[in-house]
């Protein structure tokens, strides 16, 4: 497991602002916007972490930064949107494995 | 013909979510605000007030509490309802004319921006309470909608896919129903 710090306090507070305000505005917005806000937070966190991340994580973060804005544009295509989310889920699982003892020796 | 120019302006305006850092001239901002002054208003009561935000740090803080603000616009115009004006005329919070006023002002400003060669986009996905704190709004002001103003970025991705392809005919019914 990697123990290096990848966020500054100011950056973490910025992410908290996004998460808290997203929770509030979701009370007034269409349900489809829920995933959109979570993805926006993912993209924002990826951008904040990128500079100080390790090789195990960097490509995953870069992919989030590049692909998530494209996903916002296809929200109305439910099948494509779902496929994009599945693809991000596979990517995060692969990243978790790179950080896990399970992958050692593979 | 003048009418063609107006119709073309209406049909070619788009919501822009990617803007460059290029600043907007003060005269252009004032022209947009002047256009908003001529937007229709219920009873001609004009309860809207406009707050222009150019300061970079203030814009940054606004973005942090506005999950729906994808633009990094050099200018934000916040449309507010001034409830003091509403109280003078006995308008309640449930009066839909107030939201219609916000809409007519917003569209008029975005069309004016487009006519000036500028990009624009509305944003309503933000925390009203957080915006009130950041801008130190008077108690009688409620923040209703941001209009982001700037220049379209040179490299812009494909726009959001429509939920459904529609024409004006899909939105219109002629005369009485049931015929």
């Amino acid at each position: 497991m990697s123990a290096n710090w990848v966020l500054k306090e100011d950056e973490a507070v910025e992410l908290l602002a996004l998460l808290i305000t997203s929770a509030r505005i979701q009370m007034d917005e269409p349900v489809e916007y829920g995933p959109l806000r979570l993805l926006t937070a993912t993209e924002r966190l990826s951008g904040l972490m990128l500079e100080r991340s390790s090789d195990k994580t960097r490509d995953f973060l870069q992919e989030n930064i590049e692909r998530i804005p494209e996903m916002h544009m296809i929200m109305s295509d439910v099948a494509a949107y779902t496929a994009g989310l599945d693809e991000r889920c596979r990517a995060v699982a692969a990243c978790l494995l790179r950080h896990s003892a399970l992958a050692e020796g593979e | 013909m003048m009418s063609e120019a107006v119709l073309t302006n209406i049909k070619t305006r788009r919501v822009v979510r990617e803007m460059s850092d290029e600043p907007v001239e003060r005269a252009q901002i004032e022209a947009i605000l002047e256009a908003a002054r001529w937007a229709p208003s219920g009873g001609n009561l004009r309860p809207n007030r406009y707050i222009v935000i150019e300061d970079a740090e203030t814009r940054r803080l606004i973005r942090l509490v506005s999950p729906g603000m994808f633009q990094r616009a050099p200018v934000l115009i916040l449309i507010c309802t001034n409830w003091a004006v509403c109280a003078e005329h006995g308008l309640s919070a449930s009066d839909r004319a107030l939201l219609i006023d916000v809409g007519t002002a917003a569209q008029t400003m975005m069309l004016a921006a487009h006519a000036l060669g500028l990009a624009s986009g509305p944003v309503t996905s933000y925390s009203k309470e957080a915006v009130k704190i950041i801008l130190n709004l008077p108690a009688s002001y409620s923040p209703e909608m941001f209009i982001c103003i700037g220049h379209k970025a040179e490299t812009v991705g494909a726009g959001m896919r429509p939920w459904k392809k529609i024409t004006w005919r899909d939105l219109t019914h002629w005369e009485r129903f049931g015929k």
Side-chain angles (χ1 to χ4, degrees), chain A residues 14 22 25 29 37 73 76-77, chain B residues 60 67 125-126 158 161-162:
Chain A
E14 290 181 13
S22 290
I25 64 175
E29 293 193 326
R37 301 305 174 208
M73 299 299 115
S76 57
D77 184 340
Chain B
R60 188 182 76 85
S125 297
Y126 56 86
R161 287 189 200 170

Side-chain angles (χ1 to χ4, degrees), chain B residues 86-163:
Chain B
C86 300
E88 282 174 26
H89 298 281
L91 296 177
S92 72
S94 62
D95 192 324
R96 288 184 297 173
L98 295 170
L99 285 178
I100 294 169
D101 273 17
V102 172
T104 59
Q107 180 70 350
T108 301
M109 283 197 277
M110 290 190 287
L111 288 173
H114 186 44
L116 293 165
L118 297 168
S120 67
V123 175
T124 55
S125 297
Y126 56 86
S127 162
K128 286 189 172 193
E129 296 306 310
V131 166
K132 286 179 192 175
I133 296 290
I134 290 170
L135 294 178
N136 194 27
L137 289 185
S140 64
Y141 280 38
S142 62
E144 307 295 353
M145 182 187 284
F146 281 103
I147 305 296
C148 301
I149 305 283
H151 296 268
K152 192 174 180 179
E154 282 188 17
T155 53
V156 176
M160 186 177 283
R161 287 189 200 170
W163 294 93

Side-chain angles (χ1 to χ4, degrees), chain B residues 36-53:
Chain B
R37 177 258 173 271
W38 292 100
S41 172
N44 205 20
L45 298 179
R46 307 209 169 271
N48 289 343
R49 295 294 180 270
Y50 309 108
I51 299 171
V52 182
I53 303 140

Side-chain angles (χ1 to χ4, degrees), chain B residues 168-179:
Chain B
W168 66 270
R169 289 180 180 84
D170 301 313
L171 308 172
T172 308
H173 180 87
W174 296 89
E175 307 299 351
R176 297 180 64 232
F177 282 86
K179 287 279 192 175

